[in-house]
Amino acid sequence: MAHSGINVLLEGSNFSRLMGGLWVSVWIAVVSLFFGLIVGTVFGILRTTKSRVLRFILRLYLEIFRIIPTVVLLFLVYYILPRQLHINMPADWMAVLAFSLWVAAEFSDIVRGAIQSVPRHQRESGLAIGLTRFQLFRYILLPQAMKLEVPAAINLATRVVKTTSLLMIISIMDVINVGQQIIEANNSTYPTGVFWVYGLIFFLYFIVDYLLSLWARKLTARQ
């Protein structure tokens, strides 16, 4: 067992480095979801307005972020913005910006669909009793829409967590990047270490996304 591949995980600080890389991936995903869900909620509400111009602009925004691959979006934000707009931020915050824009686009469509799924008679009843449009959204539409959004929102969150595996392309020390460095540094000593390192990374991603799935089930069961 002296040179067993699993020992690569226990060599020096390799395991703690992997946990640190996982933390980087998770916090970027969480912060991106926080900002993206807020902006997406606002955009989703605006997409239900009567303004055709506003709806067209927000629909175009959604389609752009659906069409552009996430890897291209990361490159654009990381390389183009600093050069063209002189926006200089750390790479991890540039990743947060890219993911937040993507989440906002995706979640806006979820919110729009959830709001429009609320029965029409409830909207009409709210207006009939004298509620303003703001009160209609606050007390009738949004509370019901939020229940409908939960499964899709959790699914979006799992997609964001998995997509953080692309962070290594802009030199962020996420769990994938750390794992690759560990494999390269220990390849001669532990030739089979690659299976254990990536096996652990697979397990870590599985645990994070599985916990999100369990949370979604509990939230859905309470509704």
Side-chain angles (χ1 to χ4, degrees):
M1 290 289 291
H3 293 283
S4 176
I6 194 173
N7 289 344
V8 71
L9 301 176
L10 308 176
E11 187 78 19
S13 59
N14 287 348
F15 185 78
S16 61
R17 289 176 61 200
L18 286 169
M19 293 300 101
L22 178 66
W23 166 247
V24 171
S25 300
V26 170
W27 87 255
I28 288 177
V30 170
V31 175
S32 300
L33 285 165
F34 175 77
F35 289 117
L37 294 181
I38 292 175
V39 176
T41 299
V42 175
F43 285 178
I45 294 173
L46 293 176
R47 287 190 62 195
T48 65
T49 62
K50 296 180 179 180
S51 173
R52 292 186 177 181
V53 175
L54 184 58
R55 293 204 311 268
F56 173 77
I57 293 173
L58 293 176
R59 177 69 184 183
L60 182 62
Y61 170 79
L62 169 64
E63 294 302 328
I64 288 174
F65 281 90
R66 276 183 172 172
I67 293 172
I68 298 178
T70 309
V71 61
V72 176
L73 179 61
L74 284 171
F75 274 123
L76 288 174
V77 171
Y78 185 70
Y79 293 108
I80 303 301
L81 288 185
R83 293 181 181 180
Q84 300 299 323
L85 302 179
H86 305 291
I87 298 177
N88 296 312
M89 294 191 300
D92 47 2
W93 283 104
M94 297 299 278
V96 168
L97 175 60
F99 283 130
S100 296
L101 292 172
W102 167 46
V103 171
E106 293 283 357
F107 194 64
S108 70
D109 204 41
I110 295 173
V111 173
R112 178 203 57 79
I115 291 175
Q116 293 180 343
S117 296
V118 177
R120 185 179 181 86
H121 72 270
Q122 296 195 25
R123 184 192 304 263
E124 295 173 346
S125 298
L127 294 174
I129 63 176
L131 293 180
T132 65
R133 189 168 181 82
F134 174 78
Q135 291 173 327
L136 181 67
F137 273 97
R138 179 179 179 183
Y139 297 113
I140 296 179
L141 299 180
L142 287 181
Q144 296 187 63
M146 287 177 64
K147 296 179 180 179
L148 300 173
E149 295 164 10
V150 170
I154 298 298
N155 179 59
L156 178 59
T158 59
R159 288 168 56 197
V160 173
V161 171
K162 289 185 290 186
T163 308
T164 57
S165 60
L166 297 175
L167 293 175
M168 66 177 297
I169 68 175
I170 57 174
S171 303
I172 293 178
M173 295 305 296
D174 69 313
V175 65
I176 300 291
N177 206 348
V178 172
Q180 188 61 37
Q181 288 187 356
I182 291 174
I183 291 169
E184 293 175 357
N186 296 273
N187 190 49
S188 58
T189 307
Y190 303 103
T192 61
V194 59
F195 299 106
W196 294 98
V197 172
Y198 278 113
L200 177 61
I201 291 173
F202 164 81
F203 179 74
L204 293 175
Y205 272 110
F206 173 80
I207 289 296
V208 173
D209 283 340
Y210 184 68
L211 290 176
L212 286 172
S213 298
L214 287 180
W215 186 34
R217 291 182 192 175
K218 290 184 179 181
L219 291 175
T220 304
R222 291 178 183 176
Q223 298 176 7

